[in-house]
């Protein structure tokens, strides 16, 4: 009896057997997310009764500010989004290139790897401050900051991905005597696609936070700059509203990447680990 | 030294060890053009290792290996388009459909996309997988994968075909049909083939010659399969027994 209890407890974490896994996971995640959100709103609501509104504003007030932001300051969201996309894709391109170089050119590998590793040790804040000294143009500052922060994630993960390439596949493709480019095209690129998605999924939230930070220190436009402004104007409702929007943006972006991943990796069998 | 101008594969006094573990010692094999040769031996006897040396993935510790007069390891790239391999494991690429996997070798040989598609279609039909063209690897059964892998090797139309247990993992009916198909194609187009198997029956049925490999040594049996053996039940049984004895009575 005890045993079956444990077993069914474990199964709760899993998709019902007759529904495709990923969809089921999204659905089963949705309800708890809504429950937790409702509870948070309730807590804020109750707290707002007891403390002044410049400490914790009522949810209705936050929503009103959020609506104002959306109708009046949507261009800032747009700007941040564009900056994020450009930097993310650039970092992806350079990171993948670095990863492939490290994975395929043993002579260059140790030097490039050392460079990347040292970069991971440099605090994001240092890059932000340095960027302000180095560049006048805010767009360039933000682009630079995001790039140097994000490139190592891609480079190291892609490098690991290439190292995980099964020797059997390499021998198989080599039996046809391909040139270097053909090995990259038919074997290495398709093999690292899952690693690119994995990296993107895991850093997209971090990238947004870093973009906001970078804007806060380096720019007058964008979500980070607007939050800075809200802070100087003592508009806590706006800070809460921006935060709310950021959470929504973050979750939608993650869902978006997950959707792209599902399309790109449709050749894979959904694994379910028991 | 029996390297007649007619030989496609010549291995002469080849030795190979992995660390202290000797896999082959003073091994000499030669396969002539148009010949189908079976390589037998118990598991771990070194059959796949021999194929690996012939295809140029492994370097012999000593002795010489020549394929079409070239050193397959040292002159690796020069054998482009000359040989194809069907490995013991299917080694299909999961992001490619069945037909795309068959196309792989053709595309690497710079054959046009349309031409490659046509040839791949033909070969998939030959291995009875015409209706599985667009399936991804995880949607195929083990036997289907093995057949795709065989089609991928044969589609490039190589002079030399190396097969590692390509028929052994299939059910009897499929395996028989495929063996018959393969023998027919190989003989018709004068393909040279070295195939590894642990099934004595398959070897007798398909091969012009059988070689039995003894672990850590050279060949312990090398015998031409006489034409009458396939019809004459007694002669066939006798050959079967000789091969089984050479393999150490572990074969069936
Ligand atoms: N890369 C390697 N490194 C170390 N040892 C190896 C390696 N490849 C093969 N061996 C060893 O060499 C021996 C022969 O292996 P091989 O794969 O050639 O056997 P086989 O005759 O093909 O066997 P099977 O019928 O099981 O496929 C085995 O003992 C194996 O452990
Ligand atoms: Mg083997």
């Amino acid at each position: 009896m005890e045993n079956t209890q444990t077993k069914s407890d474990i199964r709760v974490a899993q998709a019902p057997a007759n529904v495709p896994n990923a969809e089921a996971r999204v659905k089963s995640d949705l309800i708890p997310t809504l429950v937790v959100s409702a509870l948070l709103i309730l807590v804020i609501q109750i707290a707002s009764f007891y403390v002044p509104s410049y400490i914790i504003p009522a949810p209705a007030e936050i929503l009103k500010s959020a609506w104002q932001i959306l109708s009046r300051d949507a261009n800032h969201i747009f700007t941040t989004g564009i900056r994020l996309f450009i930097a993310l894709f650039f970092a992806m391109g350079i990171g993948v290139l670095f990863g492939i170089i490290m994975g395929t050119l043993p002579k260059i590998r140790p030097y490039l790897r050392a460079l990347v590793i040292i970069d991971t040790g440099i605090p994001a804040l240092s890059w932000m401050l340095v960027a302000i000294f180095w560049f006048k143009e805010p767009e360039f500052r933000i682009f630079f900051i995001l790039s140097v922060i994000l490139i190592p994630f891609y480079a190291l993960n892609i490098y690991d991905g290439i190292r995980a390439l099964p020797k059997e596949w390499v021998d198989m493709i080599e039996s046809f005597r391909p040139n270097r480019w053909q090995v990259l095209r038919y074997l290495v690129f398709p093999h690292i696609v899952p690693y690119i998605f994995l990296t993107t999924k895991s850093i997209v939230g971090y990238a947004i936070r870093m973009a906001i930070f970078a804007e806060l220190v380096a720019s007058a436009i964008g979500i980070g700059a607007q939050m800075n402004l809200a802070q100087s104007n003592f508009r806590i409702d706006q800070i809460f509203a921006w935060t709310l929007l950021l959470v929504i943006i973050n979750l939608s972006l993650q869902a978006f990447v997950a959707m792209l991943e599902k399309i790109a990796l449709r050749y894979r069998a959904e694994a379910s680990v028991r | 030294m029996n390297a007649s101008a007619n030989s496609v594969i010549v291995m002469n006094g080849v030795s190979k060890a992995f660390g202290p573990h000797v896999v082959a010692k003073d091994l000499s094999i030669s396969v002539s053009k148009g010949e189908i040769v079976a390589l037998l031996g118990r598991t771990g006897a070194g059959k796949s290792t021999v194929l690996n040396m012939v295809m140029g993935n492994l370097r012999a510790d000593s002795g010489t290996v020549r394929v079409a007069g070239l050193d397959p390891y040292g002159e690796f790239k020069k054998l482009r388009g000359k040989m194809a391999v069907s490995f013991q494991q299917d080694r299909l690429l999961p992001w490619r459909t069945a037909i795309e996997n068959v196309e792989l070798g053709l595309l690497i040989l710079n054959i046009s996309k349309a031409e490659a598609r046509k040839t791949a279609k033909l070969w998939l039909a030959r291995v009875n997988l015409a209706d599985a063209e667009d399936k991804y690897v995880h949607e195929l059964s083990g036997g289907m994968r093995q057949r795709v892998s065989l089609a991928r090797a044969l589609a490039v139309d190589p002079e030399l075909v190396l097969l590692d247990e390509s028929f052994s993992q299939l059910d009897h009916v499929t395996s028989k049909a495929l063996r018959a198909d393969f023998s027919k194609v190989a003989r018709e187009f004068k393909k040279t083939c070295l195939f590894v198997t642990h099934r004595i029956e398959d070897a007798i049925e398909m091969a012009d010659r059988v070689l039995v490999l003894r672990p850590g040594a050279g060949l312990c049996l090398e015998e031409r399969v006489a034409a009458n053996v396939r019809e004459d039940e007694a002669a066939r049984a006798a050959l079967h027994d000789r091969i089984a004895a050479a393999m150490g009575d572990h074969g069936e």
Side-chain angles (χ1 to χ4, degrees):
Chain A
M1 204 62 224
E2 194 85 347
N3 239 334
T4 43
Q5 191 64 44
T6 327
K7 202 164 179 188
S8 67
D9 275 353
I10 293 171
R11 287 218 182 158
V12 172
Q14 298 194 340
N18 57 343
V19 198
N21 259 324
E23 263 169 59
R25 214 179 303 132
V26 171
K27 272 184 199 145
S28 68
D29 281 357
L30 195 61
I31 293 169
T33 309
L34 289 178
V35 170
V36 171
S37 309
L39 282 175
L40 278 175
I41 293 172
L42 190 69
V43 168
I44 295 175
Q45 181 71 67
I46 293 170
S48 69
F49 292 147
Y50 294 97
V51 294
S53 67
Y54 59 84
I55 304 282
I56 295 179
E61 244 180 287
I62 299 173
L63 273 183
K64 216 176 89 195
S65 301
W67 180 247
Q68 268 176 5
I69 287 169
L70 281 177
S71 51
R72 209 185 48 206
D73 296 328
N75 63 318
H76 292 285
I77 298 175
F78 187 71
T79 307
T80 304
I82 294 287
R83 286 169 175 162
L84 186 70
F85 268 102
I86 292 175
L88 199 65
F89 275 103
F90 178 77
M92 191 187 289
I94 299 295
V96 167
L97 187 71
F98 280 15
I100 290 176
I101 292 174
M102 288 194 284
T104 55
L105 301 175
K107 290 219 175 77
I108 306 181
R109 174 188 309 146
Y111 299 97
L112 199 52
R113 214 174 112 75
L115 183 71
V116 172
I117 297 277
I118 289 170
D119 184 9
T120 59
I122 299 174
L125 186 64
S126 304
W127 284 122
M128 292 184 188
L129 299 176
V130 164
I132 293 171
F133 279 93
W134 283 358
F135 308 109
K136 277 233 142 53
E137 173 61 41
E139 294 311 323
F140 212 85
R141 287 175 178 171
I142 292 165
F143 176 76
F144 173 81
I145 293 166
L146 287 177
S147 300
V148 290
I149 292 173
L150 299 180
I151 285 172
F153 289 102
Y154 283 105
L156 293 175
N157 283 347
I158 297 307
Y159 172 53
D160 277 344
I162 293 178
R163 282 201 306 175
L165 190 60
K167 183 178 182 314
E168 284 76 21
W169 285 352
V170 179
D171 285 349
M172 182 278 292
I173 201 161
E174 294 255 289
S175 75
F176 294 111
R177 268 69 180 172
N179 57 36
R180 202 177 257 279
W181 164 245
Q182 286 172 326
V183 175
L184 284 178
R185 169 164 177 205
Y186 294 121
L187 187 61
V188 176
F189 288 151
H191 170 74
I192 61 179
V193 170
Y195 292 85
I196 297 177
F197 276 108
L198 186 84
T199 311
T200 307
K201 269 198 304 190
S202 63
I203 67 169
V204 88
Y206 179 68
I208 294 177
R209 290 198 289 277
M210 286 304 121
I212 305 300
F213 254 124
E215 286 174 340
L216 190 127
V217 289
S219 168
I221 345 169
I223 298 176
Q226 288 299 298
M227 289 180 84
N228 197 11
L229 190 68
Q231 194 261 337
S232 337
N233 295 339
F234 302 104
R235 291 292 300 271
I236 187 115
D237 58 316
Q238 285 184 353
I239 290 179
F240 270 76
W242 277 117
T243 307
L244 173 69
L245 291 174
L246 280 171
V247 170
I248 293 170
I249 291 170
N250 195 341
L251 295 183
S252 336
L253 266 183
Q254 301 211 15
F256 178 66
V257 178
M259 192 192 74
L260 286 185
E261 180 186 38
K262 213 178 148 191
I263 295 169
L265 304 185
R266 67 189 177 284
Y267 64 81
R268 293 211 289 203
E270 268 290 340
S272 75
V273 181
R274 280 192 178 271
Chain B
M1 192 88 191
N2 183 24
S4 68
N6 223 4
S7 294
V8 177
I9 302 175
V10 180
M11 293 182 92
N12 215 342
V14 167
S15 300
K16 179 74 201 174
F18 295 107
H21 181 66
V22 178
V23 179
K25 203 165 155 196
D26 198 22
L27 175 69
S28 297
I29 291 177
S30 116
V31 179
S32 331
K33 186 163 171 42
E35 202 181 15
I36 301 181
V37 173
L39 184 61
L40 292 114
R42 281 145 61 179
T43 175
K47 305 180 295 291
S48 297
T49 305
V50 168
L51 282 195
N52 271 316
M53 288 191 284
V54 173
M55 73 182 88
N57 279 339
L58 274 181
R59 172 188 225 143
D61 295 341
S62 61
T64 55
V65 182
R66 290 287 175 274
V67 173
L70 296 164
D71 169 7
Y73 189 89
E75 299 172 291
F76 191 83
K77 297 277 172 185
K78 287 192 184 161
L79 283 163
R80 185 176 161 91
K82 294 236 167 64
M83 68 162 105
V85 189
S86 177
F87 293 86
Q88 193 164 2
Q89 319 83 2
D90 57 73
R91 304 194 185 183
L92 299 178
L93 301 177
W95 52 83
R96 298 178 84 86
T97 59
I99 195 162
E100 287 169 348
N101 267 289
V102 178
E103 285 169 359
L104 183 70
L106 297 161
L107 296 176
I108 289 176
L109 294 175
N110 291 325
I111 285 160
S112 77
K113 184 86 192 145
E115 194 64 30
R117 178 58 46 129
K118 228 172 74 188
T119 312
K121 246 187 197 322
L122 185 79
W123 275 102
L124 271 183
R126 283 196 181 147
V127 295
N128 270 324
L129 284 177
D131 44 7
E133 278 179 12
D134 297 321
K135 288 209 157 83
Y136 281 106
V137 176
H138 78 267
E139 300 167 313
L140 301 171
S141 74
M144 290 162 102
R145 290 179 201 186
Q146 197 64 44
R147 281 182 279 161
V148 175
S149 159
L150 187 63
R152 177 178 62 192
L154 299 179
V156 297
D157 193 22
E159 278 171 43
L160 172 63
V161 186
L162 304 174
L163 305 178
D164 200 341
E165 304 278 12
S166 295
F167 307 107
S168 328
Q169 293 161 31
L170 306 174
D171 67 276
H172 276 280
V173 179
T174 314
S175 166
K176 201 174 164 69
L178 211 53
R179 284 194 320 256
D181 273 359
F182 174 74
S183 304
K184 199 170 129 245
V185 173
R187 293 198 196 286
E188 190 179 330
F189 296 101
K190 287 237 177 309
K191 301 286 175 207
T192 310
C193 174
L194 179 61
F195 76 101
V196 163
T197 181
H198 67 272
R199 294 218 300 233
I200 301 177
E201 281 308 322
D202 290 7
I204 295 177
E205 184 193 304
M206 291 174 68
D208 301 315
R209 202 149 49 95
V210 292
L211 311 173
V212 179
L213 203 58
R214 170 154 291 176
L219 296 177
C220 58
L221 180 84
E222 174 171 8
E223 188 164 335
R224 192 156 288 285
V225 181
N228 74 319
V229 162
R230 293 200 186 88
E231 283 86 57
D232 182 344
E233 204 51 53
R236 188 188 181 107
L239 176 58
H240 187 293
D241 288 350
R242 281 199 299 282
I243 297 174
M247 285 170 72
D249 270 329
H250 281 267
E252 333 85 317

